[in-house]
Every structure is written in structure tokens, then in C-alpha cells.
Amino acid sequence: MNTQSSLSNATTLVRVNSFIRSVYNWMAIGLALTGFTAFYVSGNETLMRAIFGNPVLLFGLIFGELGLVFYLSARVQKIQASTATALFVVYSILNGVTLSSIFMVYTSTSIVSTFFICALTFSVCSVYGMVTKRDLTSMGGFMMMGLIGIIVATLVNMFFRSPAMSMLISYVGVIVFVGLTAYDTQKLKNMAMTQPADLSGAVVRKGAIMGALTLYLDFINLFLMLLRIFGGSRD
């Protein structure tokens, strides 16, 4: 019995590690595509003028990104794994296009240094979510409420344009996305541990894509919040 139990535990561990590795690999691919696209677009004056000088095109890109996220979340069980992968890649590229605007606001040095600060912070939080024995479900719910608060406060501040409010939102945002990173990592680990061993490769692939999208969004939002705090202005 002990031998069978040990083999079962070992098999589960291998399956969990394989799934989590796939999630982080796809997340890294998404971040690389976003970073390359943002850097390329920011260095092309024609593209920058076409995108940010045309509000219709800019808002079309933003709504297109939101549409892709909602579509993936709602239809991931019904679409093919290749389609889910393609949509994730397209989203990463579109996000890179819109994020190229940060190069107009912040210095390249501060963007790079903030990226490494974000990567270190994200890694620590993700490792904590992976190894902690504490159930982070309640914390995740609290952080989701905080996220809603951030969205509402950001919309309100679009009218007031208060620098103090903007900075407060950034500090709260860092706390929220630090918590969500740990929570989402633990949720993915639990999902990997409880999924049936006989799931098809396509189903596992789609789960990995959705997991990658979740952590990708945590990383990008944490990066933007930190950039508002530590980023050096080009002015």
C-alpha cells in the first residue's frame, strides 16, 4: 500500500509540475511578445502617430483586448486548444501595441529597472502561493473587492485628474496584485492537483493558457502600478 501511495503521489507531483511549468512558459512567451511589440512600436514614429494620434483606433485596440479576454474566459471550454493559444498570442501583441505608450511617458532606464523589481516581487509572491499551506481563498476574495475599488477610483479620477489620488491608487494596486499573484498561483496549483489524470492534452493545454493569461494580467498590472511609483518621467 505504501508503495502504491508513493507511486500515486509521485505521479501527481509530476503532473502538477508539468502543468505549472507549461503555465509559466506560456506566460513568459506572452510577456516576451508584449515587450518586443511595445519596444518595436515605440521606436516607430509613424506607428506611434497612427495609433495614439487616432482615438478611434486606440480605443478600438483597447476594446479589442478586453473582448479577447472575455471571449477566452467564456468560451475556453468550447474552442480548440490551438484557437485558445492563437488568441492568447494575439492578445499579448495587442497589449504590447497599447503599452508602447509608456515609452513616451517614462525613461527607458526606469522602465527596465521597474520591470526587474516587478519580476522579483512577482516571483516571491508566486513562490509563496505555491508553497504556503494557508488557504488563500478568503484573501483572494478580498483582493478582488480591492480590484473593483481600484477600477472605480481610476474611472472617477479620470475626471478629477488628482496626482495624489493617482499615487494612492498605485500603492493600493501594488498590494492588490501582490495578493492576487499569490492567490492565483495557489488556485492553479490546486487545479493541477485535482484534475483527472486521464484529461486529454488539448484540455490541459487550454487550462495552461488560461492560467498563463491570469498570471500575465497579474504581472502586467503589478508592473504598471510599480512604474507609476518608481518610473522616472521623460519630462
Side-chain angles (χ1 to χ4, degrees), residues 158-233:
M158 288 176 64
F159 298 97
F160 291 99
R161 298 182 181 276
S162 167
M165 176 63 73
S166 179
M167 190 59 64
L168 177 61
I169 291 171
S170 298
Y171 279 106
V172 173
V174 168
I175 296 172
V176 167
F177 287 107
V178 160
L180 284 177
T181 297
Y183 165 71
D184 287 331
T185 302
Q186 185 182 77
K187 185 172 67 174
L188 289 170
K189 176 188 174 183
N190 292 339
M191 185 176 74
M193 293 180 66
T194 56
Q195 65 184 5
D198 58 351
L199 280 179
S200 67
V203 174
V204 174
R205 170 80 165 274
K206 288 191 290 185
I209 290 295
M210 287 308 300
L213 177 61
T214 300
L215 293 182
Y216 170 95
L217 291 172
D218 289 340
F219 187 99
I220 290 294
N221 282 288
L222 178 60
F223 169 71
L224 291 175
M225 296 297 175
L226 288 170
L227 189 60
R228 291 173 187 171
I229 297 172
F230 296 114
S233 174

Side-chain angles (χ1 to χ4, degrees), residues 48-161:
M48 291 292 283
R49 287 182 176 178
I51 296 167
F52 298 102
N54 187 340
V56 175
L57 177 57
L58 178 59
F59 280 104
L61 289 170
I62 293 173
F63 284 119
E65 291 179 49
L66 292 174
L68 282 175
V69 172
F70 286 124
Y71 181 83
L72 257 176
S73 301
R75 302 284 296 178
V76 68
Q77 300 298 332
K78 298 181 180 180
I79 61 178
Q80 295 183 348
S82 58
T83 302
T85 304
L87 291 176
F88 176 70
V89 169
V90 170
Y91 173 78
S92 300
I93 293 172
L94 287 180
N95 203 30
V97 173
T98 55
L99 282 179
S100 62
S101 62
I102 64 175
F103 287 93
M104 297 190 298
V105 180
Y106 303 100
T107 64
S108 297
T109 301
S110 66
I111 291 173
V112 172
S113 61
T114 303
F115 176 84
F116 283 109
I117 292 172
C118 179
L120 178 60
T121 304
F122 180 91
S123 299
V124 171
C125 296
S126 196
V127 168
Y128 174 77
M130 186 69 65
V131 302
T132 184
K133 302 299 183 182
R134 178 187 173 191
D135 185 359
L136 302 179
T137 302
S138 59
M139 184 184 77
F142 182 76
M143 293 302 167
M144 287 302 299
M145 291 170 53
L147 177 58
I148 295 173
I150 289 173
I151 294 173
V152 172
T154 300
L155 292 175
V156 171
N157 200 43
M158 288 176 64
F159 298 97
F160 291 99
R161 298 182 181 276

